[in-house]
Amino acid sequence: MEDESKLRQRCTWEKFENEKFGDDKVWSETSDEQMRVERSIAALYTAFKNKLDISPDIPELERNSHRVFLWKGLKNLSSSYECLDASRPWLCYWILHSLEILNEPVPEDIALQVVDFLKRCQSPTGGYAGGPGQNAHLAPTYAAVNALCILAPITDEAYKAINRETLYKFLMRMRMPDGSFKMHDGGEVDIRGAYCAASAARLTNTATKELFKDTSLWIASCQTYEGGFAGYPGQEAHGGYSFCGLATLVLLNGIQYCNLKQVLRWTANRQMRYEGGFQGRTNKLVDGCYSFWQGGNFPLLHMVLCSQDDQALSAHRWMFHQEALQEYILICCQHSGGGLIDKPGKSRDFYHTCYCLSGLSIAQHFTGGHLADTYIVGHTKNEVKSVHPVYNIGIDAVIHANEHFNLLPVPGSSGKHEEK
């Protein structure tokens, strides 16, 4: 007869298996893809379960292989990365932030080389381009500012590589009359632009009332009937856009313009019941990058709820299953050669490495109200660095940037400091 502990484990596993997708005997391409992904994940989870009795400290974060992958990418990229020629500040940010999360120090000489490269991406008319000689764009501007703030504690040259006066002029040029932002001269308008502008402006102390007049109202107009945010009013709710919308409202103190409960409900329902990771949209597949784009919303939601409801201060966890997300990342998203991936069977890349690790950090660290707790799946050596959920760089890098830039006058304003 089975002993009580083994019986309990078997019942738990059977209950877990019941969380798989039910197609109600109606075939569709979407349901077929979902079940195919679940089968690949089931194989990994079954193999993991069978190893638990032998290796109780699994799953393990394969730090060394990820470090090798990241350092190789920072120093030299293969010709297959030519398609990202207009995203080179992003590559710097994804790699540097991943190393930061892994607590991997960057030598000063390497930091200076990256700073020099990002300086050459800065446009004479403000903002940063995807590469030297290209046109300035809000997305690589966000990436470049984040990367430079990560490097600033290593070298003073990092902050000198940010021309705040021309940056402010660029941000003002991207601003639209309704408070939205276009991504570049003649470019598309969507919610990413508002977030990239707000994040870069807040980090560098270049935010003014004029710059973000009516931006919160425009962001609120992007909230959909589902509860999440779309890239533009009238479109579909999406995980990346929802993070951009919510984070921008937090940055601009405009959270009162959105329906917070609907955001929470929609975001919580994006965690997959079987896989443990997040999907980006309703009825879509799990994807490792949404570990941050969706998971990162919960610290923001908690931050706002704590300011509105004293009961939220007593919470000990984010409002999603933190251990399940860690298991998906560690068991299903680690590439055998280093780096992290979207889902089993996908190729590794620096984008998914960055956002899987960012999501892992969010899932491990709870800091809310007066409490700070960690929830580490596997051995304690799996713990990674805590990130700032609004900017997605290290908390110490944000503090360092605030201490530096808040002493400087705000470009475009008459006084030394603009009201926050």
Side-chain angles (χ1 to χ4, degrees):
M1 184 175 179
E2 287 183 300
D3 62 49
E4 185 178 347
S5 63
K6 288 185 177 180
L7 179 62
R8 186 164 56 249
Q9 289 176 5
R10 184 167 62 83
C11 291
T12 301
W13 185 257
E14 289 174 354
K15 183 179 179 181
F16 173 64
E17 288 293 294
N18 290 334
E19 299 297 343
K20 287 183 176 180
F21 175 76
D23 64 355
D24 297 325
K25 306 302 180 183
V26 178
W27 182 90
S28 71
E29 186 175 342
T30 302
S31 61
D32 191 52
E33 287 182 350
Q34 174 63 29
M35 290 186 288
R36 188 160 56 246
V37 170
E38 285 182 358
R39 285 194 294 271
S40 67
I41 287 174
L44 292 170
Y45 281 155
T46 300
F48 167 73
K49 174 177 174 284
N50 293 336
K51 293 177 183 175
L52 270 176
D53 291 337
I54 304 171
S55 306
D57 288 337
I58 60 172
E60 179 183 356
L61 176 62
E62 302 292 343
R63 289 177 179 270
N64 288 333
S65 60
H66 301 326
R67 285 170 178 155
V68 171
F69 172 65
L70 292 164
W71 278 119
K72 183 179 178 181
L74 190 60
K75 295 175 180 178
N76 184 51
L77 292 173
S78 68
S79 59
S80 64
Y81 282 90
E82 286 181 0
C83 61
L84 293 176
D85 182 60
S87 300
R88 292 165 73 184
W90 277 110
L91 289 164
C92 294
Y93 164 62
W94 294 332
I95 294 172
L96 289 171
H97 185 43
S98 297
L99 292 170
E100 179 186 35
I101 293 172
L102 294 171
N103 284 299
E104 177 76 357
V106 177
E108 186 176 5
D109 61 327
I110 300 294
L112 286 169
Q113 290 177 39
V114 177
V115 169
D116 180 67
F117 169 73
L118 292 174
K119 282 170 64 177
R120 289 186 282 120
C121 293
Q122 189 167 210
S123 170
T125 57
Y128 292 81
Q134 299 178 19
N135 294 328
H137 191 290
L138 272 173
T141 295
Y142 162 84
V145 168
N146 270 9
L148 290 166
C149 287
I150 291 170
L151 295 175
I154 304 169
T155 171
D156 294 338
E157 296 301 312
Y159 288 149
K160 296 177 184 177
I162 303 174
N163 187 324
R164 296 169 63 249
E165 285 70 25
T166 59
L167 172 62
Y168 180 75
K169 292 177 181 177
F170 170 68
L171 296 178
M172 283 297 297
R173 197 166 72 246
M174 296 304 102
R175 172 187 158 79
M176 303 297 286
D178 60 0
S180 63
F181 284 79
K182 58 186 176 182
M183 297 303 293
H184 58 90
D185 287 316
E188 72 278 20
V189 171
D190 66 48
I191 206 166
R192 295 173 304 152
Y195 170 65
C196 291
S199 177
R202 283 297 190 206
L203 271 178
T204 60
N205 192 29
T206 56
T208 64
K209 291 180 181 179
E210 180 186 16
L211 179 59
F212 294 110
K213 183 179 184 296
D214 294 331
T215 299
S216 293
L217 291 172
W218 185 85
I219 294 289
S221 73
C222 294
Q223 189 171 17
T224 79
Y225 73 94
E226 288 188 273
F229 291 85
Y232 191 82
Q235 296 179 352
E236 182 183 10
H238 180 282
Y241 294 144
S242 285
F243 173 83
C244 289
L246 191 61
T248 304
L249 291 177
V250 170
L251 284 165
L252 301 182
N253 298 317
I255 203 71
Q256 69 273 16
Y257 295 112
C258 79
N259 188 318
L260 201 66
K261 289 184 178 179
Q262 287 187 10
V263 180
L264 174 58
R265 182 184 62 187
W266 181 82
T267 309
N269 279 295
R270 301 285 69 76
Q271 187 169 23
M272 309 297 278
R273 297 175 67 87
Y274 185 78
E275 300 92 308
F278 285 92
Q279 62 183 180
R281 291 178 286 162
T282 305
N283 293 328
K284 293 295 182 178
L285 303 176
V286 69
D287 185 335
C289 73
Y290 293 109
S291 302
F292 177 77
W293 294 125
Q294 300 282 28
N297 279 322
F298 290 95
L300 304 181
L301 290 162
H302 185 86
M303 185 189 312
V304 176
L305 290 172
C306 281
S307 69
Q308 299 177 350
D309 185 353
D310 289 342
Q311 289 186 335
L313 293 169
S314 61
H316 289 258
R317 287 176 166 270
W318 306 131
M319 289 174 280
F320 73 95
H321 201 304
Q322 293 170 235
E323 288 85 354
L325 178 59
Q326 291 181 60
E327 288 172 353
Y328 175 69
I329 294 169
L330 294 173
I331 298 171
C332 303
C333 294
Q334 295 195 90
H335 191 278
S336 59
L340 289 100
I341 61 177
D342 165 349
K343 60 179 66 66
K346 296 289 186 177
S347 301
R348 61 182 179 172
D349 58 66
F350 299 110
Y351 169 84
H352 283 93
T353 299
C354 173
Y355 291 109
C356 283
L357 289 174
S358 299
L360 181 65
S361 174
I362 295 292
Q364 288 183 351
H365 298 281
F366 173 84
T367 306
H370 306 295
L371 300 171
D373 290 312
T374 56
Y375 300 89
I376 313 298
V377 168
H379 196 278
T380 54
K381 66 184 179 181
N382 284 347
E383 183 175 356
V384 296
K385 185 172 184 172
S386 183
V387 301
H388 194 295
V390 175
Y391 303 101
N392 197 21
I393 59 176
I395 295 173
D396 53 345
V398 175
I399 294 172
H400 195 278
N402 288 337
E403 289 175 347
H404 176 82
F405 289 116
N406 287 352
L407 296 175
L408 304 176
V410 180
S413 66
S414 56
K416 186 174 182 179
H417 296 285
E418 188 81 8
E419 184 181 347
K420 301 296 184 187

